[in-house]
Amino acid sequence: MIRLFCGLALPAQLRDRLISLGGGLPGARWVPEDNLHLTLRFIGEVPEPSFDDIAVALSAVKAAPFDLTVAGMGHFERKRRPTMVWAGIEPSPRLLDLHVRIESALRRAGVEGEERQFQPHITLARFDASASPERVAGFLQANSLFRAPPFRVEHFTLFSSMLGRSGPTYHAEVEFPLAAALAPDRF
Ligand code: 3AM
C-alpha cells in the first residue's frame, strides 16, 4: 500500500516566513520546513498498482497557472481543544476550481469521494493534550495580520507520505504542470 495526497509545494521564501512564526507554544509539534504544503486532496492508502491509474487520471487535469496569497491564521479544534494551527489562503476561485478538477479525476481513477469540505490551509503545528487554548488563541491573535506576497502556482504535486516515529516524510512523486490553454490551431 502507498499513502498519497495531492498538494501544492510552496516556494522556499514562503516556507522560510512560515517557519519563522514557529515556537513558543507548549504542546505544539511544528511542521518542519520541508513538509510545509497545501493539501488539495488527501487520497489515503491505495494498493501500489493503483498508483499509475491515479497518476494518469491526474495528468488529464487541465487548469491554467494562477496566483495564490497566504494570509491570516486559523485553527481546528476537537472537543473544544485546539488540534492544529494553520496559515490561511485568500479566497481563490481558481484554487477551488483546481480542487474540483482533481476531485473528478480521482473519481474517474476509482478513488472514493471525500466527505470533508475543502478548507484550504497550510498546517503550521499540531497540538497534543498539553496545549493551552489561551496560548493558542494568543498566537492566532498575534499573527492575525500575517500576509505573504502572492506566489504563482504552476503545478500541483502527487505526494507520497511515509508515517514514521518523528512524523511523516513526504515525497513528491509526480508534478503536474498547469498550462494556459493552447491557442486554437489556425491551420
Ligand atoms: O495539509 P494538512 O497537514 O492539514 O492531516 C493530513 C495532512 O493535512 C491530511 O492529509 C494531509 C497530508 O497527510 N490527512 C491525513 N489523514 C486524513 C484523512 N483520513 C487527512 N485528510 C483527510 N482524511
Side-chain angles (χ1 to χ4, degrees), residues 75-89:
H75 77 295
F76 291 147
E77 57 183 35
R78 195 180 310 130
K79 296 186 184 157
R80 309 195 59 199
R81 295 200 68 88
T83 54
M84 56 190 263
V85 287
W86 40 260
I89 311 293

PDB file of all heavy atoms in Angstrom, residues 75-89:
ATOM      1  N   HIS A  75      -7.382  27.975  13.222  1.00  0.00           N
ATOM      2  CA  HIS A  75      -7.109  26.711  13.918  1.00  0.00           C
ATOM      3  C   HIS A  75      -8.271  25.754  13.724  1.00  0.00           C
ATOM      4  O   HIS A  75      -9.388  26.164  13.360  1.00  0.00           O
ATOM      5  CB  HIS A  75      -6.863  26.964  15.410  1.00  0.00           C
ATOM      6  CG  HIS A  75      -8.130  27.225  16.181  1.00  0.00           C
ATOM      7  ND1 HIS A  75      -8.925  28.329  15.964  1.00  0.00           N
ATOM      8  CD2 HIS A  75      -8.737  26.511  17.150  1.00  0.00           C
ATOM      9  CE1 HIS A  75      -9.956  28.284  16.783  1.00  0.00           C
ATOM     10  NE2 HIS A  75      -9.869  27.185  17.502  1.00  0.00           N
ATOM     11  N   PHE A  76      -8.005  24.480  13.937  1.00  0.00           N
ATOM     12  CA  PHE A  76      -9.060  23.472  14.016  1.00  0.00           C
ATOM     13  C   PHE A  76      -9.088  22.987  15.456  1.00  0.00           C
ATOM     14  O   PHE A  76      -8.063  23.026  16.154  1.00  0.00           O
ATOM     15  CB  PHE A  76      -8.769  22.278  13.087  1.00  0.00           C
ATOM     16  CG  PHE A  76      -8.855  22.598  11.613  1.00  0.00           C
ATOM     17  CD1 PHE A  76      -8.022  21.957  10.703  1.00  0.00           C
ATOM     18  CD2 PHE A  76      -9.778  23.518  11.114  1.00  0.00           C
ATOM     19  CE1 PHE A  76      -8.090  22.232   9.341  1.00  0.00           C
ATOM     20  CE2 PHE A  76      -9.853  23.797   9.751  1.00  0.00           C
ATOM     21  CZ  PHE A  76      -9.009  23.149   8.866  1.00  0.00           C
ATOM     22  N   GLU A  77     -10.266  22.530  15.879  1.00  0.00           N
ATOM     23  CA  GLU A  77     -10.332  22.013  17.249  1.00  0.00           C
ATOM     24  C   GLU A  77     -11.222  20.786  17.311  1.00  0.00           C
ATOM     25  O   GLU A  77     -11.999  20.515  16.388  1.00  0.00           O
ATOM     26  CB  GLU A  77     -10.824  23.100  18.207  1.00  0.00           C
ATOM     27  CG  GLU A  77     -12.168  23.694  17.845  1.00  0.00           C
ATOM     28  CD  GLU A  77     -12.569  24.815  18.801  1.00  0.00           C
ATOM     29  OE1 GLU A  77     -11.691  25.560  19.263  1.00  0.00           O
ATOM     30  OE2 GLU A  77     -13.772  24.914  19.076  1.00  0.00           O
ATOM     31  N   ARG A  78     -11.031  20.038  18.372  1.00  0.00           N
ATOM     32  CA  ARG A  78     -11.875  18.873  18.617  1.00  0.00           C
ATOM     33  C   ARG A  78     -12.246  18.927  20.099  1.00  0.00           C
ATOM     34  O   ARG A  78     -11.371  19.147  20.939  1.00  0.00           O
ATOM     35  CB  ARG A  78     -11.104  17.580  18.313  1.00  0.00           C
ATOM     36  CG  ARG A  78     -12.001  16.370  18.195  1.00  0.00           C
ATOM     37  CD  ARG A  78     -11.246  15.093  17.890  1.00  0.00           C
ATOM     38  NE  ARG A  78     -10.315  15.219  16.755  1.00  0.00           N
ATOM     39  CZ  ARG A  78      -9.041  14.845  16.798  1.00  0.00           C
ATOM     40  NH1 ARG A  78      -8.520  14.325  17.883  1.00  0.00           N
ATOM     41  NH2 ARG A  78      -8.260  15.000  15.740  1.00  0.00           N
ATOM     42  N   LYS A  79     -13.490  18.734  20.373  1.00  0.00           N
ATOM     43  CA  LYS A  79     -13.989  18.821  21.760  1.00  0.00           C
ATOM     44  C   LYS A  79     -13.488  20.090  22.441  1.00  0.00           C
ATOM     45  O   LYS A  79     -12.992  20.059  23.558  1.00  0.00           O
ATOM     46  CB  LYS A  79     -13.585  17.583  22.550  1.00  0.00           C
ATOM     47  CG  LYS A  79     -14.223  16.313  22.013  1.00  0.00           C
ATOM     48  CD  LYS A  79     -13.914  15.131  22.909  1.00  0.00           C
ATOM     49  CE  LYS A  79     -14.466  13.848  22.315  1.00  0.00           C
ATOM     50  NZ  LYS A  79     -13.804  12.672  22.795  1.00  0.00           N
ATOM     51  N   ARG A  80     -13.548  21.156  21.738  1.00  0.00           N
ATOM     52  CA  ARG A  80     -13.196  22.492  22.238  1.00  0.00           C
ATOM     53  C   ARG A  80     -11.735  22.630  22.632  1.00  0.00           C
ATOM     54  O   ARG A  80     -11.361  23.537  23.366  1.00  0.00           O
ATOM     55  CB  ARG A  80     -14.137  22.888  23.386  1.00  0.00           C
ATOM     56  CG  ARG A  80     -15.601  22.710  22.980  1.00  0.00           C
ATOM     57  CD  ARG A  80     -16.560  23.392  23.887  1.00  0.00           C
ATOM     58  NE  ARG A  80     -16.309  24.818  23.939  1.00  0.00           N
ATOM     59  CZ  ARG A  80     -16.767  25.587  24.920  1.00  0.00           C
ATOM     60  NH1 ARG A  80     -17.452  25.066  25.905  1.00  0.00           N
ATOM     61  NH2 ARG A  80     -16.517  26.875  24.911  1.00  0.00           N
ATOM     62  N   ARG A  81     -10.892  21.728  22.124  1.00  0.00           N
ATOM     63  CA  ARG A  81      -9.448  21.887  22.348  1.00  0.00           C
ATOM     64  C   ARG A  81      -8.782  22.064  20.987  1.00  0.00           C
ATOM     65  O   ARG A  81      -9.141  21.377  20.021  1.00  0.00           O
ATOM     66  CB  ARG A  81      -8.855  20.656  23.027  1.00  0.00           C
ATOM     67  CG  ARG A  81      -9.374  20.430  24.441  1.00  0.00           C
ATOM     68  CD  ARG A  81      -8.433  19.539  25.210  1.00  0.00           C
ATOM     69  NE  ARG A  81      -7.144  20.210  25.472  1.00  0.00           N
ATOM     70  CZ  ARG A  81      -6.905  20.964  26.518  1.00  0.00           C
ATOM     71  NH1 ARG A  81      -7.838  21.160  27.423  1.00  0.00           N
ATOM     72  NH2 ARG A  81      -5.722  21.521  26.692  1.00  0.00           N
ATOM     73  N   PRO A  82      -7.812  22.968  20.899  1.00  0.00           N
ATOM     74  CA  PRO A  82      -7.156  23.171  19.599  1.00  0.00           C
ATOM     75  C   PRO A  82      -6.366  21.924  19.199  1.00  0.00           C
ATOM     76  O   PRO A  82      -5.691  21.321  20.037  1.00  0.00           O
ATOM     77  CB  PRO A  82      -6.217  24.356  19.855  1.00  0.00           C
ATOM     78  CG  PRO A  82      -6.022  24.399  21.334  1.00  0.00           C
ATOM     79  CD  PRO A  82      -7.252  23.811  21.955  1.00  0.00           C
ATOM     80  N   THR A  83      -6.502  21.524  17.942  1.00  0.00           N
ATOM     81  CA  THR A  83      -5.711  20.385  17.443  1.00  0.00           C
ATOM     82  C   THR A  83      -4.591  20.860  16.524  1.00  0.00           C
ATOM     83  O   THR A  83      -3.571  20.194  16.405  1.00  0.00           O
ATOM     84  CB  THR A  83      -6.601  19.385  16.670  1.00  0.00           C
ATOM     85  OG1 THR A  83      -7.300  20.108  15.644  1.00  0.00           O
ATOM     86  CG2 THR A  83      -7.599  18.716  17.591  1.00  0.00           C
ATOM     87  N   MET A  84      -4.791  21.977  15.855  1.00  0.00           N
ATOM     88  CA  MET A  84      -3.731  22.489  14.985  1.00  0.00           C
ATOM     89  C   MET A  84      -3.937  23.962  14.663  1.00  0.00           C
ATOM     90  O   MET A  84      -5.052  24.472  14.774  1.00  0.00           O
ATOM     91  CB  MET A  84      -3.655  21.679  13.701  1.00  0.00           C
ATOM     92  CG  MET A  84      -4.949  21.626  12.932  1.00  0.00           C
ATOM     93  SD  MET A  84      -4.846  20.441  11.608  1.00  0.00           S
ATOM     94  CE  MET A  84      -4.461  21.555  10.282  1.00  0.00           C
ATOM     95  N   VAL A  85      -2.841  24.632  14.309  1.00  0.00           N
ATOM     96  CA  VAL A  85      -2.955  25.995  13.774  1.00  0.00           C
ATOM     97  C   VAL A  85      -2.466  25.981  12.331  1.00  0.00           C
ATOM     98  O   VAL A  85      -1.597  25.182  11.963  1.00  0.00           O
ATOM     99  CB  VAL A  85      -2.158  27.055  14.575  1.00  0.00           C
ATOM    100  CG1 VAL A  85      -2.821  27.339  15.901  1.00  0.00           C
ATOM    101  CG2 VAL A  85      -0.705  26.701  14.729  1.00  0.00           C
ATOM    102  N   TRP A  86      -3.040  26.866  11.542  1.00  0.00           N
ATOM    103  CA  TRP A  86      -2.717  26.912  10.117  1.00  0.00           C
ATOM    104  C   TRP A  86      -2.687  28.343   9.616  1.00  0.00           C
ATOM    105  O   TRP A  86      -3.270  29.244  10.211  1.00  0.00           O
ATOM    106  CB  TRP A  86      -3.698  26.095   9.290  1.00  0.00           C
ATOM    107  CG  TRP A  86      -5.149  26.159   9.653  1.00  0.00           C
ATOM    108  CD1 TRP A  86      -5.842  25.233  10.381  1.00  0.00           C
ATOM    109  CD2 TRP A  86      -6.112  27.186   9.296  1.00  0.00           C
ATOM    110  NE1 TRP A  86      -7.160  25.613  10.496  1.00  0.00           N
ATOM    111  CE2 TRP A  86      -7.359  26.794   9.853  1.00  0.00           C
ATOM    112  CE3 TRP A  86      -6.050  28.363   8.573  1.00  0.00           C
ATOM    113  CZ2 TRP A  86      -8.521  27.557   9.695  1.00  0.00           C
ATOM    114  CZ3 TRP A  86      -7.204  29.133   8.416  1.00  0.00           C
ATOM    115  CH2 TRP A  86      -8.420  28.719   8.971  1.00  0.00           C
ATOM    116  N   ALA A  87      -1.968  28.521   8.523  1.00  0.00           N
ATOM    117  CA  ALA A  87      -1.987  29.783   7.791  1.00  0.00           C
ATOM    118  C   ALA A  87      -3.097  29.688   6.758  1.00  0.00           C
ATOM    119  O   ALA A  87      -3.289  28.637   6.128  1.00  0.00           O
ATOM    120  CB  ALA A  87      -0.639  30.034   7.123  1.00  0.00           C
ATOM    121  N   GLY A  88      -3.809  30.779   6.585  1.00  0.00           N
ATOM    122  CA  GLY A  88      -4.955  30.782   5.676  1.00  0.00           C
ATOM    123  C   GLY A  88      -4.575  31.124   4.244  1.00  0.00           C
ATOM    124  O   GLY A  88      -3.443  31.515   3.948  1.00  0.00           O
ATOM    125  N   ILE A  89      -5.540  30.959   3.363  1.00  0.00           N
ATOM    126  CA  ILE A  89      -5.347  31.239   1.937  1.00  0.00           C
ATOM    127  C   ILE A  89      -6.419  32.252   1.550  1.00  0.00           C
ATOM    128  O   ILE A  89      -7.596  32.043   1.880  1.00  0.00           O
ATOM    129  CB  ILE A  89      -5.565  29.951   1.093  1.00  0.00           C
ATOM    130  CG1 ILE A  89      -4.771  28.763   1.664  1.00  0.00           C
ATOM    131  CG2 ILE A  89      -5.260  30.188  -0.383  1.00  0.00           C
ATOM    132  CD1 ILE A  89      -3.284  28.899   1.568  1.00  0.00           C
TER     133      ILE A  89
END
